[in-house]
Amino acid sequence: MVSEQIARRGIVDEPVLQAMSEVPRHLFIPPELRQAAYQDRPLPIGYRQTISQPYIVGLMTQMLHLNGSESVLEIGTGSGYQAAILAQLAAKVHTIERYAALSAAARQVIQGLGIRNVSFHVGDGSLGLAEYAPFEAILVTAGAPSVPKMLLDQLSERGRLVIPVGKWTGQSLERWRRTPAGFEHEAVAPVAFVPLVGKAGWESVDDENENAPD
Ligand code: SAM
């Protein structure tokens, strides 16, 4: 998967490729879908949520430019796969998820792999995690209608925020950077993420059955 589908599509950061070679993606996927674990596509994980496509995981991780010393915030734990990758590349990972059951399942897999530098939080990550700020890197793995100001506020000096921003159905993957003069940002690729639902995200839709694992 890594050499044929990720590296060939322009993920060149060696530590990112190494981390993706080492973390077994199939463990983060429901047993009935495991035969598809190393295909380059998102897969359902229950609660109408997905584990992201590996190429997008590689791209977003590469965009953070991690050097191993950072405290990182991930918003949208989902399966825990992205958090496990970040844990190989940063000093500390805080990951927050709105569904407690997904967070608990992710914690179990990550702890089973012996990964010790990830802390799990349950709640609305659209507001960030002020009590653990500042972060050198923040990664949002759900699509936001706009960039939440509270996330920018929680970046350290020269901190990076990677976030899909746009419509409910499709977004632009943006990288924001805190500079001495303020913030600079760039749009990197079109993407399609499940929505960021929360105070600084989208409103929960009426017909959403919050308790149903699909
Ligand atoms: N990073 C995940 C992985 O590696 O499997 C994929 C995440 S999935 C594309 C997006 C996740 O964001 C879903 O699990 C969803 O429940 C979560 N989410 C959406 N809005 C959220 C919010 N306001 N706070 C925390 N998590 C949220």
Side-chain angles (χ1 to χ4, degrees):
M1 176 186 85
V2 171
S3 60
E4 286 178 18
Q5 298 161 29
I6 314 295
R8 254 189 220 165
R9 290 186 62 189
I11 308 303
V12 293
D13 185 317
E14 269 307 323
V16 173
L17 293 171
Q18 184 67 29
M20 292 188 71
S21 308
E22 286 171 6
V23 175
R25 188 171 184 255
H26 67 276
L27 296 183
F28 296 86
I29 288 171
E32 63 278 15
L33 296 173
R34 282 194 181 158
Q35 82 289 349
Y38 296 100
Q39 296 171 13
D40 190 23
R41 60 183 176 109
L43 292 166
I45 55 170
Y47 297 86
R48 274 177 293 291
Q49 306 304 322
T50 54
I51 177 173
S52 303
Q53 177 188 354
Y55 167 69
I56 295 294
V57 171
L59 178 63
M60 292 174 99
T61 310
Q62 179 168 273
M63 284 166 69
L64 292 174
H65 289 301
L66 300 173
N67 64 24
S69 68
E70 297 89 351
S71 174
V72 179
L73 171 63
E74 181 201 21
I75 297 160
T77 310
S79 69
Y81 177 69
Q82 173 77 73
I85 300 288
L86 293 171
Q88 315 302 306
L89 300 165
K92 177 74 194 175
V93 178
H94 289 276
T95 183
I96 180 163
E97 169 58 51
R98 62 189 285 263
Y99 288 108
L102 289 180
S103 178
R107 179 201 292 264
Q108 202 174 11
V109 178
I110 286 182
Q111 288 182 345
L113 287 170
I115 297 170
R116 306 251 175 269
N117 58 339
V118 180
S119 290
F120 296 84
H121 307 265
V122 174
D124 178 8
S126 71
L127 304 176
L129 213 46
E131 58 270 49
Y132 295 97
F135 301 99
E136 282 75 34
I138 300 179
L139 179 56
V140 184
T141 68
S146 58
V147 177
K149 182 175 178 303
M150 285 180 84
L151 298 187
L152 292 172
D153 290 344
Q154 291 173 30
L155 285 177
S156 65
E157 260 182 57
R158 303 188 191 284
R160 287 84 64 197
L161 165 67
V162 170
I163 180 168
V165 185
K167 300 192 172 134
W168 179 277
T169 47
Q171 308 87 29
S172 169
L173 188 58
E174 295 185 357
R175 176 174 40 203
W176 288 69
R177 220 189 287 251
R178 189 190 275 273
T179 70
F183 292 95
E184 56 186 37
H185 75 281
E186 60 189 318
V188 174
V191 287
F193 273 84
V194 295
L196 180 74
V197 176
K199 284 205 173 104
W202 298 94
E203 274 182 36
S204 181
V205 290
D206 290 334
D207 62 350
E208 192 178 30
N209 180 349
E210 304 275 355
N211 300 315
D214 271 334

